[in-house]
Amino acid sequence: MPARKRKPHVAVVDWEPAPASNSGAELEAKTIGKAAVVKYYLAATEADFTPAILRSDAIILWQNTTVTEVSIAKMTNCRVFIRNGVGYDTVDIAAAARRGIPVCNVPDYGTEEVADHAIALAMAQVRQLFPLHREAMSLGWKLHVKEKLRRLSTLTFGIVGLGRIGTACALRAKALGFRVVFHDPYLPSGTHKALGIGRADSLSKLLKQADVVSLHCPLNAETHYLIAEKELALMKPTAYLVNTARGGVIKKKAVLAALRKGVIAGAGLDVIEDEPLKTKAEARTPNLIATCHAAFCSVEGMIEMRTTSARIAKQAVLDQPLDNVVNGL
Ligand code: NAI
């Protein structure tokens, strides 16, 4: 009797019972249908990968589970890693490529949400919403922060990384009346003309002129600690720093110290190096607004992201061409 062909397995790997994933993988199972068995696993690190995960044919990874050469070497059937999100810095894509395993991401499910969130963080700072809220809630009415409130059309909104999210943010900032300037060494000449915004040919030129600096570049060896003590010192003391990209793009120690010393006026951080914040002292940093790596989050975006990841997993188990491969295979 011929050996029965094993049905492909798709592992959906989460790092903790995260509110974003709604635990379970019903949506993924529905999208993949009869093409594979779909199972949900919790694995905070790759050391927690069970034999079933290591034997899976396709692995969908939520945001914090890191995959290195160590576990990639143990994968016996894996045909694809899918990062359920945009950033894929948690997966060693070169090690996966050496083993012939494509890595895919979902690059566009949250473009609008992240741009909206960056603008929200920037506007909360520029309009001083939280100090005003605290004053109103303590039954005060003195506008202690009135000297900080400025007309948007006199302010420059600086964007680092004018990709999908950076462009969406630029269009929003422009519509609000800001003068918009970007720095992105990888875009062709004339990009600023197409969008009707300014261009800074170096990061330092952008930092010196911007009243808001919003980061939208990926985290990689080049952008790790792109903003540290030296760069913060170039910013205006009245300027605000917004990060919805990745925590490691800003040196946490440097930005928290800059806020305590008044080197910059404030920061709005959705992502923070070594997130979440670790101590009450960190959380009490003056003029810091932090959100919980939530910029991507919306009901609609989550459905789009999970459905796209599942569609790619299905492509892999059916040996079809894969969407969104990021490691050149
Ligand atoms: P994208 O790939 O469309 O754009 C990134 C841009 O950064 C590109 O134009 C690239 O040329 C530019 N860039 C690369 N190195 C640079 C450097 N050294 N200086 C200036 N610019 C540089 O990516 P997308 O979709 O716009 O996403 C941007 C980042 O946002 C992602 O890498 C991800 O880490 C982050 N993100 C955060 C989320 C959140 O929930 N907070 C959710 C989704 C994405």
Side-chain angles (χ1 to χ4, degrees), residues 109-170:
Y109 73 92
T111 300
E112 297 146 81
E113 286 82 352
V114 181
D116 292 340
H117 205 88
I119 292 289
L121 289 168
M123 289 300 287
Q125 288 289 13
V126 170
R127 294 305 306 168
Q128 291 289 293
L129 289 195
F130 289 88
L132 288 169
H133 171 75
R134 278 194 296 274
E135 197 180 326
M137 291 302 116
S138 63
L139 314 183
W141 214 256
K142 292 200 177 345
L143 305 190
H144 289 298
V145 290
K146 61 177 172 297
E147 299 304 323
K148 289 188 169 181
L149 300 174
R150 303 274 309 283
R151 182 178 292 173
L152 297 195
S153 59
T154 66
L155 302 180
T156 296
F157 197 106
I159 294 192
V160 180
L162 196 76
R164 281 170 290 247
I165 296 168
T167 305
C169 193

Side-chain angles (χ1 to χ4, degrees), residues 8 57 146 217 228 231 255 294 317-318:
D57 299 79
K146 61 177 172 297
C217 55
E231 292 72 26
V255 71
V317 298
L318 294 177

Side-chain angles (χ1 to χ4, degrees), residues 6-27:
R6 170 185 166 275
K7 196 160 188 181
H9 278 62
V10 174
V12 180
V13 179
D14 207 346
W15 61 292
E16 67 171 24
S21 70
N22 301 326
S23 69
E26 297 83 4
L27 185 58

Side-chain angles (χ1 to χ4, degrees), residues 177-188:
F178 286 100
R179 171 179 171 262
V180 180
V181 177
F182 79 95
H183 169 65
D184 189 326
Y186 299 105
L187 294 183

Side-chain angles (χ1 to χ4, degrees), residues 308-321:
T308 305
S309 287
R311 195 187 68 229
I312 297 170
K314 188 173 179 181
Q315 289 167 344
V317 298
L318 294 177
D319 280 329
Q320 293 171 348

